[in-house]
Amino acid sequence: MKITNIKTGVISIPLITPFKTALRTINSIGSMVVAVETDTGAVGFGEAHPTGPITGESMGSVRGAIHEFIVPKLKDKDIASLEDTLNSLDHALVKNTSAKAAVEIAVFDLFGKLYRIPLYRMLGGFRQKVETDLTISVNSPEEMADDTRTAINRGFRILKVKVGLDPELDIRRIRAVRDAAGPHAVIRVDANQGWSVRDAVRIMKTLEQAQLNIELVEQPVVAHDFAGLKEVKDRIDTPILADEAVFSPLDAQTIIDMRAADFINIKLMKTGGLRSALRICALAEMHGVECFMGCMMESRLSVTAAAHLACARSIITRCDLDSPALCKTDPIQGGVEIDGPWLKVTEAPGLGIESIDGVIWD
Ligand code: MG
């Protein structure tokens, strides 16, 4: 099974309500879809959601990375020689992690199709379903309380609360969510780099004293400030989840060596695909650091790949794979099955994606 061509196209999916974090606000998911074609007629699917404020990529840069650098390296590569194909992809260009992830996911999809094995079984086959949280976007405390009640009514028991815009208001936001959610909901907080070390320590200590029972705080300080992250970790009791700080396995190694976080959030759009994500899993397994499986504002296509990885590896103990739950429509046929907070993988080979509606191919 040899690669003959890589096609790119764009999908757009409206969101139920705008997605707001300390970094950005978006009203719809715009993603680049990749179809890797082969000489057997088999097609592998992948997706890149370019998140400029986090990975530095755009639709244009993903398209350019794939057609200028990746296609020439991967043409005629044999899917059966997975390692060689992935090495060529890795060496095609540096950074551009979402572009690489899209193509790499499609290559894994083809490898699974070639040997008729679902991706999660190929990678470890630990479980068949995972539970995701649901994001509560950063808004007024009143709106966030309303969104919390809606989420609980939809069957979600784990909520991820976006904060990081204004330290004083953030405390009121989190209180409003806890009051609306009741005592049994699991509440995690994501500041998306929005706080200083001082803000983070003060806010989290206030929440701890108020006994709001916050499960963890995600990326309180700016991504590159590993020492700041460690300082927050050393000064509060609430566990820390590193997100934007960890793109590569080397980042993960540094965070683990420094003991700068309690958990690591793995996202395929940051790692550049599954192989680097598996390296982070291996490192985390050795050090006993539990991982999250997260996603950007991706469609159910690349979220299917993330769900397969989360089902494959026992070190991934928590999931933040809620972007399909935030969408008004779903153009993906096949793939992971979603029922409220549960994502269930199927036994179809590879990702099990059958088709994608409404793609505007380049
Ligand atoms: Mg995050």
Side-chain angles (χ1 to χ4, degrees), residues 328-340:
K328 242 183 225 168
T329 57
D330 182 1
I332 311 299
Q333 316 301 323
V336 68
E337 293 168 355
I338 298 185
D339 179 17

Side-chain angles (χ1 to χ4, degrees), residues 23 54 190 192-193 218-230 240-256 258 260-261 263-267 270 280 296:
L23 293 173
I54 297 174
D190 188 356
N192 284 107
Q193 314 176 54
E218 181 170 347
Q219 200 61 51
V221 299
V222 69
H224 60 78
D225 187 7
F226 287 18
L229 194 64
K230 177 172 169 48
I240 302 266
L241 169 62
D243 180 9
E244 290 96 319
V246 177
F247 272 54
S248 67
L250 281 174
D251 295 332
Q253 187 174 15
T254 307
I255 289 284
I256 289 171
M258 288 178 66
F263 303 100
I264 290 170
N265 195 346
I266 301 172
K267 295 179 179 170
K270 295 186 298 176
I280 294 177
M296 303 295 189

Side-chain angles (χ1 to χ4, degrees), residues 7-22:
K7 276 194 338 190
T8 53
V10 171
I11 51 170
S12 177
I13 311 171
L15 296 177
I16 299 168
T17 51
F19 179 81
K20 294 187 191 175
T21 75

Side-chain angles (χ1 to χ4, degrees), residues 121-140:
R121 287 203 184 275
M122 189 197 309
L123 304 180
F126 184 66
R127 49 172 98 81
Q128 279 84 35
K129 63 177 185 176
V130 287
E131 184 180 12
T132 181
D133 57 20
L134 191 74
T135 298
I136 305 295
S137 282
V138 58
N139 277 303
S140 70

